Amino acid sequence: MMALPRFFCPIPLQINTIITLPPEVAHHAGRSLRLKEGTRIILFNGLGGEYHGTLLFNQGTAQADLDFFDSQNRGITGNITLVQALASGDKMDWIIEKAVEMGVSHLIPIKAERSVLQLSGTRLEKRQQHWQAIIQSASEQSGRNILMTLSPLQTLKQFFQSTEHANYLLADPEGDISLTHYLNQHHNSLNNIYFFIGPEGGWSPKETEEIVKHGATRVRFGDSILRTETAGIALSSAAASVLNWR
């Protein structure tokens, strides 16, 4: 059976109502996908659950007749935050998309000393909007009903000033303990994890010292040195599996 078309619809939704679809959703459904009147669709607004209904066209206006609410929220049961150093090119796009698919709760982009990509002003604002669109699109595709939270680009200093100490794990090929060993040791007490993932050139010695100073445990993941676009996704998936969060 083919999956029903899903659309992120950031407006109040309620069953037994007919709503007018926002222009971008209407364009996607009617123009891009060429869906016909009477097609069953799913809408979600990122607050939890999803609404099933029938696509209607009223004098050229796309609408949805909502008749069923499914409260299920697909994803993992724990909270994973990626503290991800800014990566170059389209790598950040890939990281964000896959983080959504893996069930990551929160992604915090960090302006690291060795980050090749430098963003500020209007360029940064446009990139943040672009990343948010990726989150919405990946949620539509993956069946996720609660959007991953994306923080503004910040420095490590800003991050530590605004975040209380949690389970900080620094991805490090020469770490003191394997990720699996650490997770098994703390299996019963973990419900949230922060993974610190460096840029292409790795965290600088100063940054590493700062992360460890704030209580992070260095964890290694196998014998391979993972690329920045691979590390966070691999560690998040492994953690969710080991902790039975899936």
Side-chain angles (χ1 to χ4, degrees):
M1 181 178 179
M2 231 176 139
L4 297 180
R6 281 172 43 89
F7 303 97
F8 174 67
C9 191
I11 61 174
L13 300 173
Q14 185 176 347
I15 61 170
N16 300 322
T17 60
I18 296 177
I19 65 161
T20 297
L21 298 179
E24 61 277 9
V25 178
H27 184 274
H28 189 193
R31 298 288 182 86
S32 300
L33 299 181
R34 298 187 178 184
L35 301 181
K36 305 299 182 184
E37 179 159 348
T39 301
R40 294 292 291 176
I41 61 174
I42 296 174
L43 303 180
F44 67 103
N45 57 14
L47 301 178
E50 60 187 24
Y51 296 78
H52 294 229
T54 302
L55 181 64
L56 306 174
F57 291 102
N58 183 8
Q59 297 181 343
T61 300
Q63 299 179 320
D65 183 0
L66 304 179
D67 53 32
F68 175 71
F69 175 69
D70 184 350
S71 61
Q72 179 182 8
N73 289 316
R74 302 171 189 85
I76 62 177
T77 56
N79 296 302
I80 296 176
T81 297
L82 284 188
V83 186
Q84 172 69 54
L86 201 58
S88 63
D90 59 359
K91 291 178 183 178
M92 281 299 293
D93 292 3
W94 194 92
I95 291 168
I96 290 169
E97 179 183 79
K98 301 312 172 188
V100 171
E101 294 177 14
M102 289 297 103
V104 171
S105 307
H106 191 182
L107 190 141
I108 304 173
I110 298 293
K111 185 178 181 180
E113 291 182 20
R114 295 174 178 171
S115 289
V116 177
L117 182 64
Q118 298 295 321
L119 295 172
S120 61
T122 302
R123 189 162 172 244
L124 172 58
E125 183 179 345
K126 289 183 178 178
R127 190 62 65 94
Q128 290 269 173
Q129 293 171 353
H130 172 66
W131 291 337
Q132 190 63 45
I134 290 175
I135 292 172
Q136 296 169 7
S137 177
S139 298
E140 289 177 345
Q141 182 275 326
S142 64
R144 183 168 174 171
N145 289 325
I146 297 179
L147 298 184
M148 181 180 75
T149 303
L150 176 68
S151 290
L153 179 64
Q154 56 199 270
T155 64
L156 274 176
K157 182 178 180 180
Q158 290 170 327
F159 167 78
F160 287 120
Q161 286 175 340
S162 62
T163 307
E164 294 183 3
H165 181 267
N167 298 298
Y168 293 157
L169 299 180
L170 172 60
D172 185 345
E174 299 178 357
D176 307 315
I177 186 173
S178 74
L179 174 65
T180 302
H181 192 188
Y182 176 89
L183 295 175
N184 285 329
Q185 277 188 339
H186 300 84
H187 194 284
N188 296 324
S189 61
L190 288 175
N191 56 21
N192 65 82
I193 298 172
Y194 286 71
F195 282 122
F196 287 78
I197 309 298
E200 286 89 338
W203 300 109
S204 71
K206 180 181 176 181
E207 289 170 328
T208 299
E209 181 181 353
E210 183 176 6
I211 296 170
V212 172
K213 182 182 73 176
H214 282 86
T217 301
R218 298 173 184 247
V219 294
R220 60 183 184 275
F221 187 66
D223 297 325
S224 300
I225 298 176
L226 301 179
R227 294 179 180 271
T228 184
E229 67 269 30
T230 306
I233 308 307
L235 270 64
S236 296
S237 179
S241 180
V242 172
L243 295 171
N244 295 320
W245 284 356
R246 294 203 174 278

